[in-house]
Amino acid sequence: EFVFFSDLLNSSNLTNKIVLSFDLDWASDEVIDYTYQKVKKAGVKATFFVTHPTPMIEKFTNDPKVQLGLHPNFNSFFSSEEKESVKESFEYLSNLKRSLLPSTKIIRSHSLTTSSLLLSQFWELGFEISSNYAMYGQSGICPFHHPSGMVEMPIFFGDDGYISFKNSKYLPSFSDEYLLESDFIGFRNFNFHPIHVALNTISIKQYNESRPYHDNFGRIIKEKHIGDGVEKFLEKLIFN
């Protein structure tokens, strides 16, 4: 069953619950819409974490099967003095939330950046749900509370991890068979990036080589990987 993050807040039974999410990561509108059309065709609920202004926000807002979260990037603040970085990160997040998604209560940081200070900022700005913990391939995942008031809903699957760990002897739980088991204890958050869906990414090498033409949707489709990859796995997840 595909559900929203918010559906899990009051759910007593998490077995076989799936949260499908996407980090936009500044992808072009064509790349984002390419992924969205697949989700729409499947008719499943999905959460899109927004990084930047895009006409897609209006399209998402009008779709009852889409929930929106914010995806801020705090990486630049690591080079600042602590006192200044705390102040600057709060101002940045406050402005980003106000300009993009003033009513959203869901957040996931780019690079999964989190800390007790950031969690307190999230709560102060009206967020309630954070999804910043990567627990790739683990069973029995449940939401848990932070002292700040935030509820953390960890990530079970990330397409970056899928690219890195697929068929790895070090993480056999990233096999398709295990990830797509029909009877699973705990909820599973499957997280993707539209650029990896459009490219059907199969390796970090392929992704890095594609960076120069990420703004050229026609070339992305022309050069995409044929065969098993991120897009093919997404299709297995949402259409089967």
Side-chain angles (χ1 to χ4, degrees), residues 2 25 30 32 80 83 95 104 117 119 149 154 174-175 182 189 195 202 205 219 240:
F2 287 86
D25 275 20
E30 294 91 344
I32 297 169
S80 306
K83 185 176 180 180
N95 291 335
T104 189
L117 287 172
L119 287 163
F174 250 59
S175 67
S182 59
N189 171 207
I195 188 62
I202 193 60
K205 180 176 182 290
R219 186 172 176 189
N240 293 341

mmCIF file with all atom_site columns, all heavy atoms in Angstrom, residues 2 25 30 32 80 83 95 104 117 119 149 154 174-175 182 189 195 202 205 219 240:
data_model
loop_
_atom_site.group_PDB
_atom_site.id
_atom_site.type_symbol
_atom_site.label_atom_id
_atom_site.label_alt_id
_atom_site.label_comp_id
_atom_site.label_asym_id
_atom_site.label_entity_id
_atom_site.label_seq_id
_atom_site.pdbx_PDB_ins_code
_atom_site.Cartn_x
_atom_site.Cartn_y
_atom_site.Cartn_z
_atom_site.occupancy
_atom_site.B_iso_or_equiv
_atom_site.pdbx_formal_charge
_atom_site.auth_seq_id
_atom_site.auth_comp_id
_atom_site.auth_asym_id
_atom_site.auth_atom_id
_atom_site.pdbx_PDB_model_num
ATOM 1   N N   . PHE A 1 2   ? 0.680  2.121   -0.968  1.00 0.00 ? 2   PHE A N   1
ATOM 2   C CA  . PHE A 1 2   ? 1.442  3.367   -1.040  1.00 0.00 ? 2   PHE A CA  1
ATOM 3   C C   . PHE A 1 2   ? 0.735  4.444   -0.207  1.00 0.00 ? 2   PHE A C   1
ATOM 4   O O   . PHE A 1 2   ? -0.464 4.691   -0.383  1.00 0.00 ? 2   PHE A O   1
ATOM 5   C CB  . PHE A 1 2   ? 1.580  3.832   -2.487  1.00 0.00 ? 2   PHE A CB  1
ATOM 6   C CG  . PHE A 1 2   ? 2.540  2.993   -3.291  1.00 0.00 ? 2   PHE A CG  1
ATOM 7   C CD1 . PHE A 1 2   ? 2.105  1.825   -3.908  1.00 0.00 ? 2   PHE A CD1 1
ATOM 8   C CD2 . PHE A 1 2   ? 3.872  3.368   -3.422  1.00 0.00 ? 2   PHE A CD2 1
ATOM 9   C CE1 . PHE A 1 2   ? 2.983  1.041   -4.650  1.00 0.00 ? 2   PHE A CE1 1
ATOM 10  C CE2 . PHE A 1 2   ? 4.754  2.590   -4.160  1.00 0.00 ? 2   PHE A CE2 1
ATOM 11  C CZ  . PHE A 1 2   ? 4.312  1.419   -4.778  1.00 0.00 ? 2   PHE A CZ  1
ATOM 12  N N   . ASP A 1 25  ? 16.297 17.851  -6.579  1.00 0.00 ? 25  ASP A N   1
ATOM 13  C CA  . ASP A 1 25  ? 17.714 18.153  -6.803  1.00 0.00 ? 25  ASP A CA  1
ATOM 14  C C   . ASP A 1 25  ? 17.970 19.030  -8.025  1.00 0.00 ? 25  ASP A C   1
ATOM 15  O O   . ASP A 1 25  ? 18.870 18.755  -8.836  1.00 0.00 ? 25  ASP A O   1
ATOM 16  C CB  . ASP A 1 25  ? 18.521 16.856  -6.911  1.00 0.00 ? 25  ASP A CB  1
ATOM 17  C CG  . ASP A 1 25  ? 18.939 16.338  -5.545  1.00 0.00 ? 25  ASP A CG  1
ATOM 18  O OD1 . ASP A 1 25  ? 18.330 16.730  -4.539  1.00 0.00 ? 25  ASP A OD1 1
ATOM 19  O OD2 . ASP A 1 25  ? 19.893 15.527  -5.478  1.00 0.00 ? 25  ASP A OD2 1
ATOM 20  N N   . GLU A 1 30  ? 11.499 19.297  -17.538 1.00 0.00 ? 30  GLU A N   1
ATOM 21  C CA  . GLU A 1 30  ? 11.234 18.138  -18.388 1.00 0.00 ? 30  GLU A CA  1
ATOM 22  C C   . GLU A 1 30  ? 11.589 16.833  -17.687 1.00 0.00 ? 30  GLU A C   1
ATOM 23  O O   . GLU A 1 30  ? 10.852 15.840  -17.783 1.00 0.00 ? 30  GLU A O   1
ATOM 24  C CB  . GLU A 1 30  ? 12.031 18.241  -19.695 1.00 0.00 ? 30  GLU A CB  1
ATOM 25  C CG  . GLU A 1 30  ? 11.611 19.386  -20.603 1.00 0.00 ? 30  GLU A CG  1
ATOM 26  C CD  . GLU A 1 30  ? 12.398 20.662  -20.322 1.00 0.00 ? 30  GLU A CD  1
ATOM 27  O OE1 . GLU A 1 30  ? 13.047 20.752  -19.255 1.00 0.00 ? 30  GLU A OE1 1
ATOM 28  O OE2 . GLU A 1 30  ? 12.357 21.560  -21.173 1.00 0.00 ? 30  GLU A OE2 1
ATOM 29  N N   . ILE A 1 32  ? 11.768 16.370  -14.378 1.00 0.00 ? 32  ILE A N   1
ATOM 30  C CA  . ILE A 1 32  ? 10.822 16.169  -13.267 1.00 0.00 ? 32  ILE A CA  1
ATOM 31  C C   . ILE A 1 32  ? 9.496  15.646  -13.796 1.00 0.00 ? 32  ILE A C   1
ATOM 32  O O   . ILE A 1 32  ? 8.922  14.694  -13.242 1.00 0.00 ? 32  ILE A O   1
ATOM 33  C CB  . ILE A 1 32  ? 10.608 17.486  -12.497 1.00 0.00 ? 32  ILE A CB  1
ATOM 34  C CG1 . ILE A 1 32  ? 11.913 17.952  -11.851 1.00 0.00 ? 32  ILE A CG1 1
ATOM 35  C CG2 . ILE A 1 32  ? 9.529  17.302  -11.423 1.00 0.00 ? 32  ILE A CG2 1
ATOM 36  C CD1 . ILE A 1 32  ? 11.853 19.364  -11.290 1.00 0.00 ? 32  ILE A CD1 1
ATOM 37  N N   . SER A 1 80  ? 31.321 28.211  7.513   1.00 0.00 ? 80  SER A N   1
ATOM 38  C CA  . SER A 1 80  ? 31.151 29.422  8.315   1.00 0.00 ? 80  SER A CA  1
ATOM 39  C C   . SER A 1 80  ? 31.470 29.155  9.785   1.00 0.00 ? 80  SER A C   1
ATOM 40  O O   . SER A 1 80  ? 31.538 28.020  10.238  1.00 0.00 ? 80  SER A O   1
ATOM 41  C CB  . SER A 1 80  ? 29.702 29.930  8.207   1.00 0.00 ? 80  SER A CB  1
ATOM 42  O OG  . SER A 1 80  ? 29.319 30.108  6.873   1.00 0.00 ? 80  SER A OG  1
ATOM 43  N N   . LYS A 1 83  ? 28.490 30.260  15.111  1.00 0.00 ? 83  LYS A N   1
ATOM 44  C CA  . LYS A 1 83  ? 27.437 31.210  15.473  1.00 0.00 ? 83  LYS A CA  1
ATOM 45  C C   . LYS A 1 83  ? 26.780 31.786  14.223  1.00 0.00 ? 83  LYS A C   1
ATOM 46  O O   . LYS A 1 83  ? 25.556 31.922  14.137  1.00 0.00 ? 83  LYS A O   1
ATOM 47  C CB  . LYS A 1 83  ? 28.016 32.339  16.332  1.00 0.00 ? 83  LYS A CB  1
ATOM 48  C CG  . LYS A 1 83  ? 26.960 33.311  16.846  1.00 0.00 ? 83  LYS A CG  1
ATOM 49  C CD  . LYS A 1 83  ? 27.577 34.340  17.772  1.00 0.00 ? 83  LYS A CD  1
ATOM 50  C CE  . LYS A 1 83  ? 26.521 35.309  18.280  1.00 0.00 ? 83  LYS A CE  1
ATOM 51  N NZ  . LYS A 1 83  ? 27.099 36.331  19.190  1.00 0.00 ? 83  LYS A NZ  1
ATOM 52  N N   . ASN A 1 95  ? 13.447 31.640  4.589   1.00 0.00 ? 95  ASN A N   1
ATOM 53  C CA  . ASN A 1 95  ? 13.150 32.280  3.300   1.00 0.00 ? 95  ASN A CA  1
ATOM 54  C C   . ASN A 1 95  ? 12.749 31.253  2.242   1.00 0.00 ? 95  ASN A C   1
ATOM 55  O O   . ASN A 1 95  ? 11.833 31.493  1.444   1.00 0.00 ? 95  ASN A O   1
ATOM 56  C CB  . ASN A 1 95  ? 14.366 33.077  2.810   1.00 0.00 ? 95  ASN A CB  1
ATOM 57  C CG  . ASN A 1 95  ? 14.649 34.295  3.666   1.00 0.00 ? 95  ASN A CG  1
ATOM 58  O OD1 . ASN A 1 95  ? 13.751 34.820  4.320   1.00 0.00 ? 95  ASN A OD1 1
ATOM 59  N ND2 . ASN A 1 95  ? 15.894 34.748  3.696   1.00 0.00 ? 95  ASN A ND2 1
ATOM 60  N N   . THR A 1 104 ? 4.125  23.569  4.030   1.00 0.00 ? 104 THR A N   1
ATOM 61  C CA  . THR A 1 104 ? 4.601  22.195  4.162   1.00 0.00 ? 104 THR A CA  1
ATOM 62  C C   . THR A 1 104 ? 5.108  21.907  5.573   1.00 0.00 ? 104 THR A C   1
ATOM 63  O O   . THR A 1 104 ? 5.624  22.799  6.266   1.00 0.00 ? 104 THR A O   1
ATOM 64  C CB  . THR A 1 104 ? 5.718  21.878  3.149   1.00 0.00 ? 104 THR A CB  1
ATOM 65  O OG1 . THR A 1 104 ? 5.990  20.476  3.187   1.00 0.00 ? 104 THR A OG1 1
ATOM 66  C CG2 . THR A 1 104 ? 7.011  22.631  3.481   1.00 0.00 ? 104 THR A CG2 1
ATOM 67  N N   . LEU A 1 117 ? 20.663 21.038  16.318  1.00 0.00 ? 117 LEU A N   1
ATOM 68  C CA  . LEU A 1 117 ? 20.375 22.452  16.053  1.00 0.00 ? 117 LEU A CA  1
ATOM 69  C C   . LEU A 1 117 ? 19.416 22.606  14.881  1.00 0.00 ? 117 LEU A C   1
ATOM 70  O O   . LEU A 1 117 ? 18.451 23.369  14.935  1.00 0.00 ? 117 LEU A O   1
ATOM 71  C CB  . LEU A 1 117 ? 21.673 23.208  15.777  1.00 0.00 ? 117 LEU A CB  1
ATOM 72  C CG  . LEU A 1 117 ? 22.587 23.475  16.968  1.00 0.00 ? 117 LEU A CG  1
ATOM 73  C CD1 . LEU A 1 117 ? 23.923 24.050  16.499  1.00 0.00 ? 117 LEU A CD1 1
ATOM 74  C CD2 . LEU A 1 117 ? 21.919 24.434  17.941  1.00 0.00 ? 117 LEU A CD2 1
ATOM 75  N N   . LEU A 1 119 ? 17.330 20.353  13.712  1.00 0.00 ? 119 LEU A N   1
ATOM 76  C CA  . LEU A 1 119 ? 16.022 19.794  14.059  1.00 0.00 ? 119 LEU A CA  1
ATOM 77  C C   . LEU A 1 119 ? 15.189 20.797  14.845  1.00 0.00 ? 119 LEU A C   1
ATOM 78  O O   . LEU A 1 119 ? 13.978 20.913  14.641  1.00 0.00 ? 119 LEU A O   1
ATOM 79  C CB  . LEU A 1 119 ? 16.190 18.497  14.853  1.00 0.00 ? 119 LEU A CB  1
ATOM 80  C CG  . LEU A 1 119 ? 16.656 17.307  14.011  1.00 0.00 ? 119 LEU A CG  1
ATOM 81  C CD1 . LEU A 1 119 ? 17.190 16.200  14.907  1.00 0.00 ? 119 LEU A CD1 1
ATOM 82  C CD2 . LEU A 1 119 ? 15.527 16.797  13.137  1.00 0.00 ? 119 LEU A CD2 1
ATOM 83  N N   . GLY A 1 149 ? 10.686 17.612  18.934  1.00 0.00 ? 149 GLY A N   1
ATOM 84  C CA  . GLY A 1 149 ? 9.287  17.505  18.540  1.00 0.00 ? 149 GLY A CA  1
ATOM 85  C C   . GLY A 1 149 ? 9.136  16.882  17.170  1.00 0.00 ? 149 GLY A C   1
ATOM 86  O O   . GLY A 1 149 ? 8.068  16.386  16.806  1.00 0.00 ? 149 GLY A O   1
ATOM 87  N N   . PRO A 1 154 ? 12.776 7.331   8.512   1.00 0.00 ? 154 PRO A N   1
ATOM 88  C CA  . PRO A 1 154 ? 13.996 6.981   7.784   1.00 0.00 ? 154 PRO A CA  1
ATOM 89  C C   . PRO A 1 154 ? 13.759 6.463   6.360   1.00 0.00 ? 154 PRO A C   1
ATOM 90  O O   . PRO A 1 154 ? 12.652 6.076   5.989   1.00 0.00 ? 154 PRO A O   1
ATOM 91  C CB  . PRO A 1 154 ? 14.617 5.882   8.657   1.00 0.00 ? 154 PRO A CB  1
ATOM 92  C CG  . PRO A 1 154 ? 14.024 6.082   10.008  1.00 0.00 ? 154 PRO A CG  1
ATOM 93  C CD  . PRO A 1 154 ? 12.624 6.554   9.748   1.00 0.00 ? 154 PRO A CD  1
ATOM 94  N N   . PHE A 1 174 ? 20.305 -5.531  -0.935  1.00 0.00 ? 174 PHE A N   1
ATOM 95  C CA  . PHE A 1 174 ? 19.906 -4.603  -1.983  1.00 0.00 ? 174 PHE A CA  1
ATOM 96  C C   . PHE A 1 174 ? 19.597 -5.330  -3.288  1.00 0.00 ? 174 PHE A C   1
ATOM 97  O O   . PHE A 1 174 ? 19.634 -4.740  -4.368  1.00 0.00 ? 174 PHE A O   1
ATOM 98  C CB  . PHE A 1 174 ? 20.957 -3.509  -2.193  1.00 0.00 ? 174 PHE A CB  1
ATOM 99  C CG  . PHE A 1 174 ? 20.466 -2.164  -1.726  1.00 0.00 ? 174 PHE A CG  1
ATOM 100 C CD1 . PHE A 1 174 ? 20.074 -1.974  -0.418  1.00 0.00 ? 174 PHE A CD1 1
ATOM 101 C CD2 . PHE A 1 174 ? 20.350 -1.098  -2.603  1.00 0.00 ? 174 PHE A CD2 1
ATOM 102 C CE1 . PHE A 1 174 ? 19.597 -0.749  0.016   1.00 0.00 ? 174 PHE A CE1 1
ATOM 103 C CE2 . PHE A 1 174 ? 19.873 0.134   -2.178  1.00 0.00 ? 174 PHE A CE2 1
ATOM 104 C CZ  . PHE A 1 174 ? 19.495 0.310   -0.865  1.00 0.00 ? 174 PHE A CZ  1
ATOM 105 N N   . SER A 1 175 ? 19.259 -6.599  -3.201  1.00 0.00 ? 175 SER A N   1
ATOM 106 C CA  . SER A 1 175 ? 18.782 -7.315  -4.370  1.00 0.00 ? 175 SER A CA  1
ATOM 107 C C   . SER A 1 175 ? 17.338 -6.913  -4.626  1.00 0.00 ? 175 SER A C   1
ATOM 108 O O   . SER A 1 175 ? 16.594 -6.578  -3.699  1.00 0.00 ? 175 SER A O   1
ATOM 109 C CB  . SER A 1 175 ? 18.855 -8.834  -4.149  1.00 0.00 ? 175 SER A CB  1
ATOM 110 O OG  . SER A 1 175 ? 17.922 -9.226  -3.148  1.00 0.00 ? 175 SER A OG  1
ATOM 111 N N   . SER A 1 182 ? 6.776  -8.810  -0.927  1.00 0.00 ? 182 SER A N   1
ATOM 112 C CA  . SER A 1 182 ? 5.388  -8.368  -0.735  1.00 0.00 ? 182 SER A CA  1
ATOM 113 C C   . SER A 1 182 ? 4.985  -8.337  0.733   1.00 0.00 ? 182 SER A C   1
ATOM 114 O O   . SER A 1 182 ? 4.094  -7.580  1.128   1.00 0.00 ? 182 SER A O   1
ATOM 115 C CB  . SER A 1 182 ? 4.433  -9.296  -1.504  1.00 0.00 ? 182 SER A CB  1
ATOM 116 O OG  . SER A 1 182 ? 4.572  -10.633 -1.070  1.00 0.00 ? 182 SER A OG  1
ATOM 117 N N   . ASN A 1 189 ? 10.438 3.407   2.912   1.00 0.00 ? 189 ASN A N   1
ATOM 118 C CA  . ASN A 1 189 ? 10.485 4.647   2.132   1.00 0.00 ? 189 ASN A CA  1
ATOM 119 C C   . ASN A 1 189 ? 11.459 4.432   0.971   1.00 0.00 ? 189 ASN A C   1
ATOM 120 O O   . ASN A 1 189 ? 12.658 4.284   1.177   1.00 0.00 ? 189 ASN A O   1
ATOM 121 C CB  . ASN A 1 189 ? 10.927 5.816   3.005   1.00 0.00 ? 189 ASN A CB  1
ATOM 122 C CG  . ASN A 1 189 ? 11.200 7.097   2.210   1.00 0.00 ? 189 ASN A CG  1
ATOM 123 O OD1 . ASN A 1 189 ? 11.991 7.932   2.620   1.00 0.00 ? 189 ASN A OD1 1
ATOM 124 N ND2 . ASN A 1 189 ? 10.544 7.253   1.066   1.00 0.00 ? 189 ASN A ND2 1
ATOM 125 N N   . ILE A 1 195 ? 16.486 12.731  -12.069 1.00 0.00 ? 195 ILE A N   1
ATOM 126 C CA  . ILE A 1 195 ? 17.562 12.614  -13.049 1.00 0.00 ? 195 ILE A CA  1
ATOM 127 C C   . ILE A 1 195 ? 17.991 11.156  -13.211 1.00 0.00 ? 195 ILE A C   1
ATOM 128 O O   . ILE A 1 195 ? 18.286 10.693  -14.321 1.00 0.00 ? 195 ILE A O   1
ATOM 129 C CB  . ILE A 1 195 ? 18.779 13.510  -12.692 1.00 0.00 ? 195 ILE A CB  1
ATOM 130 C CG1 . ILE A 1 195 ? 19.808 13.513  -13.822 1.00 0.00 ? 195 ILE A CG1 1
ATOM 131 C CG2 . ILE A 1 195 ? 19.404 13.067  -11.380 1.00 0.00 ? 195 ILE A CG2 1
ATOM 132 C CD1 . ILE A 1 195 ? 19.304 14.075  -15.128 1.00 0.00 ? 195 ILE A CD1 1
ATOM 133 N N   . ILE A 1 202 ? 22.658 3.294   -13.972 1.00 0.00 ? 202 ILE A N   1
ATOM 134 C CA  . ILE A 1 202 ? 23.122 1.973   -13.554 1.00 0.00 ? 202 ILE A CA  1
ATOM 135 C C   . ILE A 1 202 ? 24.454 2.054   -12.807 1.00 0.00 ? 202 ILE A C   1
ATOM 136 O O   . ILE A 1 202 ? 24.855 1.120   -12.118 1.00 0.00 ? 202 ILE A O   1
ATOM 137 C CB  . ILE A 1 202 ? 23.247 1.014   -14.754 1.00 0.00 ? 202 ILE A CB  1
ATOM 138 C CG1 . ILE A 1 202 ? 23.424 -0.430  -14.289 1.00 0.00 ? 202 ILE A CG1 1
ATOM 139 C CG2 . ILE A 1 202 ? 24.388 1.439   -15.669 1.00 0.00 ? 202 ILE A CG2 1
ATOM 140 C CD1 . ILE A 1 202 ? 22.293 -0.980  -13.459 1.00 0.00 ? 202 ILE A CD1 1
ATOM 141 N N   . LYS A 1 205 ? 29.588 6.105   -12.574 1.00 0.00 ? 205 LYS A N   1
ATOM 142 C CA  . LYS A 1 205 ? 30.364 6.522   -13.747 1.00 0.00 ? 205 LYS A CA  1
ATOM 143 C C   . LYS A 1 205 ? 29.429 7.056   -14.835 1.00 0.00 ? 205 LYS A C   1
ATOM 144 O O   . LYS A 1 205 ? 29.685 8.123   -15.419 1.00 0.00 ? 205 LYS A O   1
ATOM 145 C CB  . LYS A 1 205 ? 31.180 5.344   -14.280 1.00 0.00 ? 205 LYS A CB  1
ATOM 146 C CG  . LYS A 1 205 ? 32.026 5.651   -15.513 1.00 0.00 ? 205 LYS A CG  1
ATOM 147 C CD  . LYS A 1 205 ? 32.870 4.433   -15.890 1.00 0.00 ? 205 LYS A CD  1
ATOM 148 C CE  . LYS A 1 205 ? 33.770 4.734   -17.095 1.00 0.00 ? 205 LYS A CE  1
ATOM 149 N NZ  . LYS A 1 205 ? 32.982 4.876   -18.336 1.00 0.00 ? 205 LYS A NZ  1
ATOM 150 N N   . ARG A 1 219 ? 18.844 14.786  -25.114 1.00 0.00 ? 219 ARG A N   1
ATOM 151 C CA  . ARG A 1 219 ? 20.062 13.976  -25.084 1.00 0.00 ? 219 ARG A CA  1
ATOM 152 C C   . ARG A 1 219 ? 20.012 12.978  -23.921 1.00 0.00 ? 219 ARG A C   1
ATOM 153 O O   . ARG A 1 219 ? 20.525 11.853  -24.044 1.00 0.00 ? 219 ARG A O   1
ATOM 154 C CB  . ARG A 1 219 ? 21.299 14.864  -24.968 1.00 0.00 ? 219 ARG A CB  1
ATOM 155 C CG  . ARG A 1 219 ? 22.581 14.055  -25.089 1.00 0.00 ? 219 ARG A CG  1
ATOM 156 C CD  . ARG A 1 219 ? 23.816 14.902  -25.172 1.00 0.00 ? 219 ARG A CD  1
ATOM 157 N NE  . ARG A 1 219 ? 25.016 14.069  -25.197 1.00 0.00 ? 219 ARG A NE  1
ATOM 158 C CZ  . ARG A 1 219 ? 26.244 14.529  -25.095 1.00 0.00 ? 219 ARG A CZ  1
ATOM 159 N NH1 . ARG A 1 219 ? 26.455 15.838  -24.999 1.00 0.00 ? 219 ARG A NH1 1
ATOM 160 N NH2 . ARG A 1 219 ? 27.267 13.703  -25.098 1.00 0.00 ? 219 ARG A NH2 1
ATOM 161 N N   . ASN A 1 240 ? 3.842  -3.134  -10.527 1.00 0.00 ? 240 ASN A N   1
ATOM 162 C CA  . ASN A 1 240 ? 3.594  -4.565  -10.260 1.00 0.00 ? 240 ASN A CA  1
ATOM 163 C C   . ASN A 1 240 ? 2.718  -4.753  -9.019  1.00 0.00 ? 240 ASN A C   1
ATOM 164 O O   . ASN A 1 240 ? 2.612  -3.903  -8.190  1.00 0.00 ? 240 ASN A O   1
ATOM 165 C CB  . ASN A 1 240 ? 4.933  -5.312  -10.078 1.00 0.00 ? 240 ASN A CB  1
ATOM 166 C CG  . ASN A 1 240 ? 5.707  -5.352  -11.389 1.00 0.00 ? 240 ASN A CG  1
ATOM 167 O OD1 . ASN A 1 240 ? 5.144  -5.164  -12.451 1.00 0.00 ? 240 ASN A OD1 1
ATOM 168 N ND2 . ASN A 1 240 ? 7.002  -5.626  -11.288 1.00 0.00 ? 240 ASN A ND2 1
#
